[in-house]
Amino acid sequence: MLVALSGGADSVCLIRMLLELRDKLKIQVLAAHYNHCLRGADSNRDEAFVRAFCSQWDVPLAVGWGDVTQAASDTRQGIEETARQLRYAFLQETADQLGANKIATGHNADDNAETVLLHLIRGAGLRGLSGIPPRRGAIIRPLLSVQRQEIEAYLAELDQPYGEDATNQDVHYRRNALRHEVLPLLKDKNPNLAGTLLRQSELLRQDSRFLDELATETFARLRRGAEEMVLPIQDLLDLDPAISSRVIALAIQAADGEAEQVHIRQVLGLIEGSHPSAQISVGGGVIVRRVYDQLMIVRDHGQSAPFTPSVLPPSGRIFLPGAEIWVSCGENSEKIHETIHTFLFKSDAICGKITVRPRRVGDSIRIFGGNGTKTIKKLMIAHKIPAHQRDQWPILADEAGVIAVPGIGIDQRVAPKPGDKTLQITVGKAGL
């Protein structure tokens, strides 16, 4: 059992209790202390206290240090959140190195009450109002049902000293203001407020677990694709918002993104809106795109630049790395046939050289068998070609203009008739 030992009352109480129970529980008690280097001499004094305590009680101790201020500046996060991330990373790394099965922290019932109220003030959903979970993976919180006054009474009974963090009295910090100014007023109305909120937290966690399980099953059923994850928009709209929001969060997390509530609300706005081609960036380098009736969740690899145009040889095959496609060209004497990616052109109707290039402003084509001349942009929208793919979509053009667009059709000017000498051009994806 690795105890996160800060030197404060909570963690000292925790380790004294575990030391008292270690024979009965058949556990080995280890300790880890993380010096955040935020309070100068006070931080070093806490570390010295922890070292002396562990030496007195013969507890193996691991100590870590971190420049929280610099890390917060690098990641553009708050000091408190950065400190928490560095501390838990150190605890997990230490547990792995020492072979500890569990990491025990000293969070108590009052900590949970403060956390619930903080989330309430900031605005939170069910998970935030559920407070601090008693366990999360390898992390356990044995004192979560114990109130702070009980902890202090226990230490006084043992005549056990502990460290006092002077910054805990600074009401400029929101949590401290709640602790010293708000909670005493609420406890006047309900002396057992911490216990009441603890019971509420457990009830809300039960509800949250049920909804999370239902969302996990739904996500597994709706998910399509791997590298580019796809969810059907209508299926999402058919879900209760309590489930659809969780499914979206799971999809973002599956792409290694950060599913903050603000991002989930933005994605819900995306699928409920009328714009068929829109996207937002969420935390962790993930993009969520609406592509007509589908929602795509992909890693953000930066804006794709249009590929470099290439002139086709009279015969043979070329590869366009920017677009990740290949194009083959050659004479064809077989019966006229074509697909959406293979075209037969009337050889005599081709003007000069044929180029494979990205679309240009004003490009238009008169589709064979269609109704009049239309711009490439309108045709791409009509054929539901995703907006983020349009600049990478290959256009076949000769010196007189566009002659074909894969997936859309061939220009009437170069369409062959039976008996015409034809040129066959095939466009395919890389690897096929």
Side-chain angles (χ1 to χ4, degrees), residues 19-76:
L19 288 172
E20 195 173 321
L21 294 169
R22 59 182 165 183
D23 292 337
K24 182 179 180 179
L25 298 176
K26 295 182 174 59
I27 58 171
Q28 180 185 3
V29 178
L30 314 171
H33 176 80
Y34 190 77
N35 188 335
H36 300 94
C37 303
L38 287 172
R39 297 181 291 115
D42 286 343
S43 291
N44 295 332
R45 189 159 42 248
D46 289 343
E47 180 184 328
F49 171 83
V50 168
R51 288 185 183 276
F53 176 93
C54 290
S55 176
Q56 176 187 353
W57 291 94
D58 196 25
V59 175
L61 171 67
V63 177
W65 302 267
D67 189 340
V68 176
T69 302
Q70 184 60 51
S73 175
D74 292 342
T75 59
R76 297 182 179 180

Side-chain angles (χ1 to χ4, degrees), residues 166-426:
T167 61
N168 285 339
Q169 305 301 317
D170 187 349
V171 294
H172 288 96
Y173 293 101
R174 187 176 295 182
R175 182 179 287 272
N176 290 343
L178 279 174
R179 178 179 301 170
H180 299 297
E181 297 177 351
V182 177
L183 279 171
L185 297 176
L186 295 176
K187 286 182 177 180
D188 281 343
K189 304 298 182 183
N190 179 1
N192 191 35
L193 178 68
T196 300
L197 290 178
L198 195 67
R199 290 191 295 274
Q200 172 197 282
S201 295
E202 178 54 33
L203 292 173
L204 293 179
R205 273 195 297 273
Q206 290 175 5
D207 293 347
S208 187
R209 280 195 296 269
F210 172 76
L211 293 173
D212 287 345
E213 290 172 4
L214 186 57
T216 300
E217 295 172 1
T218 305
F219 175 54
R221 175 172 57 84
L222 296 184
R223 175 179 180 172
R224 304 287 184 272
E227 186 174 335
E228 290 190 344
M229 197 184 315
V230 176
L231 297 171
I233 284 179
Q234 189 55 54
D235 287 344
L236 289 173
L237 292 173
D238 290 341
L239 297 172
D240 187 276
I243 302 301
S244 62
S245 61
R246 283 172 164 78
V247 169
I248 290 167
L250 288 170
I252 294 172
Q253 291 164 357
D256 294 327
E258 299 171 3
E260 301 290 342
Q261 281 298 319
V262 62
H263 297 134
I264 293 172
R265 287 196 297 271
Q266 289 173 340
V267 175
L268 288 171
L270 208 65
I271 67 176
E272 293 166 357
S274 58
H275 198 301
S277 298
Q279 70 177 42
I280 62 168
S281 295
V282 299
V286 170
I287 289 179
V288 181
R289 292 191 180 107
R290 175 171 181 168
V291 183
Y292 296 97
D293 58 353
Q294 294 181 327
L295 195 70
M296 296 179 63
I297 300 93
V298 297
R299 298 295 303 172
D300 184 3
H301 298 297
Q303 187 67 31
S304 297
F307 62 91
T308 303
S310 295
V311 176
L312 283 178
S315 63
R317 175 167 161 157
I318 63 171
F319 177 66
L320 305 177
E324 298 301 311
I325 60 172
W326 55 263
V327 183
S328 65
C329 180
E331 291 187 359
N332 181 285
S333 57
E334 301 175 4
K335 180 181 178 181
I336 292 178
H337 71 284
E338 60 181 280
T339 68
I340 59 174
H341 297 294
T342 298
F343 300 98
L344 293 176
F345 301 101
K346 181 178 179 180
S347 298
D348 294 342
I350 299 295
C351 296
K353 297 178 180 179
I354 298 177
T355 301
V356 185
R357 60 170 176 79
R359 62 176 178 160
R360 295 173 182 168
V361 176
D363 272 345
S364 61
I365 188 173
R366 185 181 180 88
I367 295 294
F368 178 70
N371 297 317
T373 300
K374 295 183 179 179
T375 65
I376 301 298
K377 179 179 179 179
K378 287 184 177 179
L379 288 168
M380 284 184 165
I381 293 173
H383 285 76
K384 296 188 175 181
I385 295 174
H388 68 280
Q389 295 181 7
R390 293 172 194 166
D391 286 339
Q392 293 291 306
W393 204 263
I395 304 295
L396 301 176
D398 64 9
E399 295 176 10
V402 176
I403 59 174
V405 182
I408 293 180
I410 186 173
D411 189 87
Q412 182 172 300
R413 170 173 63 87
V414 292
K417 297 177 182 177
D420 287 341
K421 182 180 179 181
T422 58
L423 178 71
Q424 177 176 307
I425 295 179
T426 301

Side-chain angles (χ1 to χ4, degrees), residues 101-180:
N101 305 96
K102 298 294 180 184
I103 300 169
T105 71
H107 293 94
N108 59 52
D110 290 80
D111 292 325
N112 181 73
E114 293 162 10
T115 298
V116 170
L117 292 176
L118 277 172
H119 286 151
L120 183 64
I121 291 170
R122 293 169 180 163
L126 195 57
R127 188 175 290 109
L129 296 179
S130 297
I132 302 173
R135 66 169 59 224
R136 178 173 55 84
I139 297 170
I140 62 172
R141 300 179 172 100
L143 298 182
L144 198 58
S145 62
V146 183
Q147 296 190 29
R148 186 169 287 123
Q149 62 185 18
E150 297 177 282
I151 289 172
E152 293 171 352
Y154 173 76
L155 293 174
E157 182 180 332
L158 295 177
D159 198 23
Q160 171 64 59
Y162 54 87
E164 288 280 9
D165 185 348
T167 61
N168 285 339
Q169 305 301 317
D170 187 349
V171 294
H172 288 96
Y173 293 101
R174 187 176 295 182
R175 182 179 287 272
N176 290 343
L178 279 174
R179 178 179 301 170
H180 299 297

